[in-house]
Amino acid sequence: MAGMKTATGDYIDSSWELRVFVGEEDPEAESVTLRVTGESHIGGVLLKIVEEIKRKQDWSDHAIWWEQKRQWLLQTHWTLDKYGILADARLFFGPQHRPIILRLPNRRAVRLRASFSQPLFQAVAAICRLLSIRHPEELSLLRAPEKKEKKKKEKEPEEELYDLTKVVLAGGVAPALFRGMPAHFSDSAQTEACYHMLSRPQPPPDPLVLQRLPRPSSLLDKTQLHSRWLDSSRCLMQQGVKAGDMLWLRFKYYSFFDLDPKTDPVRLTQLYEQARWDLLLEETDCTEEEMMVFAALQYHINKLSQSGEAGEPTAADPGLDDLDAALNNLEVKLEGSAPTDVLDNLTTIPELKDHLRIFRLTLRPRKLTLKGYRQHWVVFKETTLSYYKSQEEAPGDPIQQLNLKGCEVVPDVNVSGQKFCIKLLVPSPEGMSEIHVRCQDEKQYAHWMAGCRLASKGRTMADSSYASEVQAILAFLSLQRTGGGGSGNHPPGPDASAEGLNPYGLVAPRFQRKFKAKQLTPRILEAHQNVAQLSLSEAQLRFIQAWQSLPDFGISYVVVRFKGSRKDEILGIANNRLIRIDLAVGDVVKTWRFSNMRQWNVNWDIRQVAIEFDEHINVAFSCVSASCRIVHEYIGGYIFLSTRERARGEELDEDLFLQLTGGHEAF
């Protein structure tokens, strides 16, 4: 037992004094001195600290933080010797959950208590559970950008801060619903207001405020955002976050699983808000026609949100509603086509054949080959696109045959100008072949575009998603048909009203500079006629789907330097591929699909990522604008998300996620 003394007061055992500060990391905090030995276990040390403090309170959330090692001592059965703790260790006895301020995707702020001792992945899962957001694996935290000092000190308006620090959820139990919201939000008027803020779209921003917000002016600027992500395998304390700090909660991985408006009102709204700000701050580019459609959807969503008319069908009994939905799903699964149809589908390979105009541009080192549009007979079968001089020559050898697996598919559409083009960037041994395919009308474009998108992912038109992809493309084009084109002289429909419409709060600043308000208003109202019948959740889903169809959607940018190269380049990371981009001009140089990846390794000493693909293709690069940990986490995270299955529900394999995304310290 520690503390054996002689008659003179000297200790005759192997015990020694251990000083522990009580409270958070503060040198002036009160401290207690304990007599311990190397065999003392952490649980016993915690008990001695509480006895020395002599203050009655709930200590269950407290633990010991080792400052020098930046480590929590959470294994209470471990001894001091096993941890390697000596008398010179600076230990702090403090709470594991501490208040932080979160900036949500809708730009509103909420104060809540977050775990400072668990890995960030688990801390974000607990935060999302509190905020009623399903599938927390898609989100993460990043540091707030540093505020630049202004020459003129302007008094900023006070921001409303929602407080959830006193809300506590029972562990392992799904929050029950009460009055149409999770029960823990119905405790007070303040928490109820917080839930409405989370689940209802926010009004359009002030155009003057929108113009002052920082926006990326180049690809290089877009890389700065992705250097601020926190490490998912380490706790907040280890990453220098302090109580009261502001962090941003954002959807990090652009792979949204099982998005259901009935069970996901908060997740759907926050995803819509992130998409809206993504477009308003020009982080994702879109055309003029597309911007008018997005503005019309925002206007419609805002009208429904302010009037309180969600336009949702109300069910007499939610239990019966869920039962009907389950029966419908079962009916769809049990419905089968006739045996003859099944046999036809098994033996027939779907293909497209038609006359199309093709423009060919081949990028080779030190050489540019350019040819104008020419009409060809084009055959699209499986993942291969072949074109011939005429239909009669089709059985013979084609002029060119392209395997679209792993290519980039970029839409180039102007509905008002009847331009329906598909730009294909096909990797080849000598560089990138750029092929422009021009279709005659919307219907032809939708079928060929859907086929190209599936082929780029290694799937054929026999895939069950082909028909829905065609319909989604046609639906998005129909939104642009009236709203995007014209000079704005068309009279608005009978239900269109400019009341409460400030177009400058609905479009990106570059369109504010290009058009006057009186030019934008009729175009937005004209586009609104196509979406006026949508309910609130349908309009939000349509907005998100249109955002997902943009060429630059979901690409995270990092400045890297490839092995053997003397210049910096951009690495784009999407949910299914890596993209090598020329930093100077922004052109795609090469694309690699995750489906072709065999393995990837990180050399933490020289900060280099090495990736091996099929056909003995090896890629290596060092990260310049961000830590290689961020790239490693993106790759591992997207591979983890691809393993999710609907049958598992919301169950997550945390160990697998940390193995795929963590650094060497996570193993």
Side-chain angles (χ1 to χ4, degrees):
M1 182 177 176
M4 294 180 61
K5 295 183 181 180
T6 63
T8 59
D10 297 325
Y11 288 95
I12 58 174
D13 58 6
S14 59
S15 64
W16 39 275
E17 289 185 347
L18 180 66
R19 188 182 183 190
V20 181
F21 294 92
V22 179
E24 300 176 11
E25 287 186 278
D26 184 3
E28 298 181 1
E30 65 171 312
S31 64
V32 295
T33 302
L34 312 174
R35 197 77 192 175
V36 297
T37 67
E39 297 299 320
S40 300
H41 54 81
I42 300 299
V45 173
L46 291 171
L47 184 60
K48 286 184 178 182
I49 293 172
V50 173
E51 291 174 349
E52 288 290 331
I53 295 174
K54 298 177 182 178
R55 188 166 65 242
K56 289 185 178 181
Q57 72 174 68
D58 183 5
W59 300 103
S60 59
D61 188 48
H62 281 58
I64 299 175
W65 167 254
W66 188 0
E67 186 184 61
Q68 292 103 321
K69 294 286 187 179
R70 305 202 63 77
Q71 178 184 5
W72 286 95
L73 309 182
L74 300 178
Q75 302 292 338
T76 54
H77 61 282
W78 280 23
T79 64
L80 297 178
D81 280 347
K82 190 168 183 178
Y83 268 116
I85 295 174
L86 301 175
D88 60 347
R90 284 182 59 83
L91 305 178
F92 290 84
F93 179 66
Q96 299 178 60
H97 289 79
R98 304 178 185 185
I100 60 171
I101 299 174
L102 277 190
R103 177 78 64 192
L104 301 172
N106 64 358
R107 303 273 163 162
R108 304 301 293 271
V110 58
R111 180 189 285 115
L112 48 78
R113 301 183 72 82
S115 173
F116 274 60
S117 60
Q118 292 178 310
L120 183 69
F121 181 77
Q122 298 175 11
V124 170
I127 290 171
C128 290
R129 185 165 169 266
L130 177 67
L131 299 179
S132 192
I133 299 176
R134 293 198 312 147
H135 297 291
E137 66 274 12
E138 298 169 358
L139 297 94
S140 191
L141 300 179
L142 66 162
R143 301 181 192 276
E146 296 181 1
K147 292 185 177 180
K148 296 181 180 179
E149 294 184 3
K150 299 180 180 179
K151 295 181 180 179
K152 294 182 180 180
K153 292 186 178 179
E154 300 177 1
K155 188 177 180 181
E156 296 182 358
E158 290 189 7
E159 181 183 17
E160 184 177 7
L161 187 63
Y162 296 88
D163 194 350
L164 294 177
T165 53
K166 295 181 181 179
V167 177
V168 179
L169 294 181
V173 180
L177 291 178
F178 181 71
R179 291 190 303 175
M181 67 182 75
H184 59 276
F185 281 109
S186 60
D187 293 341
S188 65
Q190 289 78 14
T191 54
E192 193 169 330
C194 181
Y195 181 76
H196 292 322
M197 176 273 294
L198 290 167
S199 59
R200 294 179 182 174
Q202 298 298 303
D206 185 336
L208 296 177
V209 174
L210 182 60
Q211 288 181 351
R212 288 199 296 264
L213 290 174
R215 303 184 303 277
S217 59
S218 64
L219 271 178
L220 194 60
D221 291 342
K222 292 181 181 181
T223 63
Q224 297 177 3
L225 169 71
H226 304 288
S227 63
R228 306 201 312 265
W229 289 108
L230 295 178
D231 189 342
S232 294
S233 61
R234 301 168 66 203
C235 68
L236 292 175
M237 201 80 163
Q238 290 173 321
Q239 301 183 69
V241 178
K242 297 181 180 178
D245 283 359
M246 175 173 282
L247 298 172
W248 285 13
L249 178 69
R250 293 290 185 273
F251 288 87
K252 178 178 181 180
Y253 301 103
Y254 295 88
S255 179
F256 313 123
F257 184 72
D258 191 21
L259 192 60
D260 186 357
K262 291 183 179 179
T263 56
D264 281 341
V266 176
R267 180 175 172 228
L268 178 66
T269 299
Q270 295 302 319
L271 185 55
Y272 158 74
E273 291 287 348
Q274 182 162 330
R276 180 168 73 102
W277 282 101
D278 193 49
L279 293 163
L280 291 178
L281 296 181
E282 302 174 14
E283 292 175 0
T284 298
D285 295 329
C286 67
T287 65
E288 184 180 312
E289 286 184 332
E290 291 164 344
M291 191 76 253
M292 297 305 120
V293 173
F294 286 120
L297 284 167
Q298 289 179 72
Y299 173 59
H300 182 64
I301 291 168
N302 188 48
K303 281 183 65 177
L304 293 177
S305 180
Q306 287 185 340
S307 64
E309 300 175 2
E312 308 291 349
T314 56
D317 188 347
L320 290 175
D321 188 42
D322 292 340
L323 180 60
D324 289 340
L327 289 173
N328 287 335
N329 290 335
L330 183 61
E331 185 180 354
V332 170
K333 290 178 182 177
L334 292 178
E335 276 182 353
S337 56
T340 54
D341 295 337
V342 175
L343 290 174
D344 288 342
N345 290 335
L346 289 174
T347 57
T348 305
I349 301 174
E351 59 181 37
L352 294 173
K353 298 178 181 179
D354 215 334
H355 285 101
L356 298 173
R357 299 180 67 193
I358 288 183
F359 170 86
R360 183 181 171 193
L361 175 70
T362 304
L363 298 174
R364 299 176 181 172
R366 303 181 184 179
K367 189 174 182 180
L368 178 66
T369 305
L370 185 64
K371 295 183 179 180
Y373 274 111
R374 292 182 181 178
Q375 184 148 317
H376 294 278
W377 177 254
V378 187
V379 178
F380 190 4
K381 189 173 182 179
E382 294 185 344
T383 61
T384 303
L385 187 144
S386 309
Y387 61 92
Y388 305 82
K389 191 172 183 179
S390 64
Q391 185 175 357
E392 291 72 23
E393 297 182 6
D397 294 332
I399 296 174
Q400 188 176 16
Q401 190 174 65
L402 301 168
N403 188 349
L404 302 188
K405 187 177 180 180
C407 77
E408 286 293 306
V409 183
V410 182
D412 184 9
V413 176
N414 186 327
V415 178
S416 59
Q418 289 297 297
K419 178 186 178 183
F420 303 100
C421 290
I422 305 169
K423 184 167 74 171
L424 302 172
L425 297 172
V426 185
S428 58
E430 64 270 11
M432 292 288 286
S433 294
E434 184 173 324
I435 307 293
H436 293 243
V437 180
R438 186 155 192 167
C439 302
Q440 298 173 4
D441 52 33
E442 294 181 15
K443 187 176 180 181
Q444 188 185 55
Y445 168 81
H447 284 85
W448 285 81
M449 185 66 176
C452 290
R453 283 180 175 171
L454 288 175
S456 70
K457 301 172 185 176
R459 291 185 276 174
T460 69
M461 288 173 284
D463 193 272
S464 59
S465 62
Y466 175 68
S468 59
E469 184 76 26
V470 172
Q471 292 303 316
I473 295 170
L474 286 172
F476 188 47
L477 292 176
S478 69
L479 292 179
Q480 302 178 56
R481 192 178 299 123
T482 58
S487 57
N489 296 324
H490 303 288
D495 297 331
S497 171
E499 182 182 353
L501 171 58
N502 184 351
Y504 284 165
L506 304 174
V507 298
R510 63 190 175 99
F511 297 106
Q512 297 179 22
R513 296 188 296 268
K514 186 176 180 180
F515 299 105
K516 295 180 180 179
K518 62 182 181 181
Q519 294 174 305
L520 288 172
T521 300
R523 295 181 66 177
I524 294 173
L525 290 176
E526 198 176 359
H528 178 253
Q529 296 177 60
N530 288 330
V531 299
Q533 304 304 317
L534 297 177
S535 67
L536 180 60
S537 61
E538 287 172 342
Q540 288 178 305
L541 275 173
R542 188 69 63 86
F543 190 99
I544 293 168
Q545 289 166 356
W547 175 52
Q548 289 176 298
S549 69
L550 296 176
D552 295 337
F553 160 77
I555 301 178
S556 306
Y557 300 98
V558 182
V559 179
V560 300
R561 178 167 292 188
F562 284 89
K563 188 175 182 180
S565 176
R566 296 184 178 180
K567 62 178 183 179
D568 292 342
E569 295 177 77
I570 299 285
L571 180 72
I573 309 170
N575 63 351
N576 57 1
R577 66 196 187 280
L578 297 175
I579 310 165
R580 184 174 182 174
I581 304 172
D582 190 300
L583 179 59
V585 295
D587 290 343
V588 174
V589 178
K590 199 81 172 176
T591 300
W592 302 280
R593 293 270 165 185
F594 288 155
S595 57
N596 298 330
M597 184 188 299
R598 289 185 174 181
Q599 63 176 351
W600 81 97
N601 301 292
V602 182
N603 188 324
W604 301 102
D605 296 328
I606 61 174
R607 298 180 60 195
Q608 186 180 78
V609 181
I611 308 173
E612 182 184 349
F613 295 92
D614 291 341
E615 299 178 0
H616 305 289
I617 298 174
N618 294 292
V619 178
F621 54 83
S622 56
C623 300
V624 178
S625 65
S627 167
C628 59
R629 172 192 57 78
I630 291 177
V631 175
H632 166 60
E633 194 167 304
Y634 262 120
I635 296 173
Y638 277 127
I639 291 176
F640 172 80
L641 296 184
S642 68
T643 65
R644 293 182 295 183
E645 296 177 1
R646 199 176 298 273
R648 294 183 186 173
E650 298 181 42
E651 183 182 350
L652 282 178
D653 189 345
E654 295 181 6
D655 293 336
L656 177 61
F657 180 87
L658 294 176
Q659 287 178 7
L660 287 171
T661 62
H664 55 277
E665 70 280 350
F667 293 96

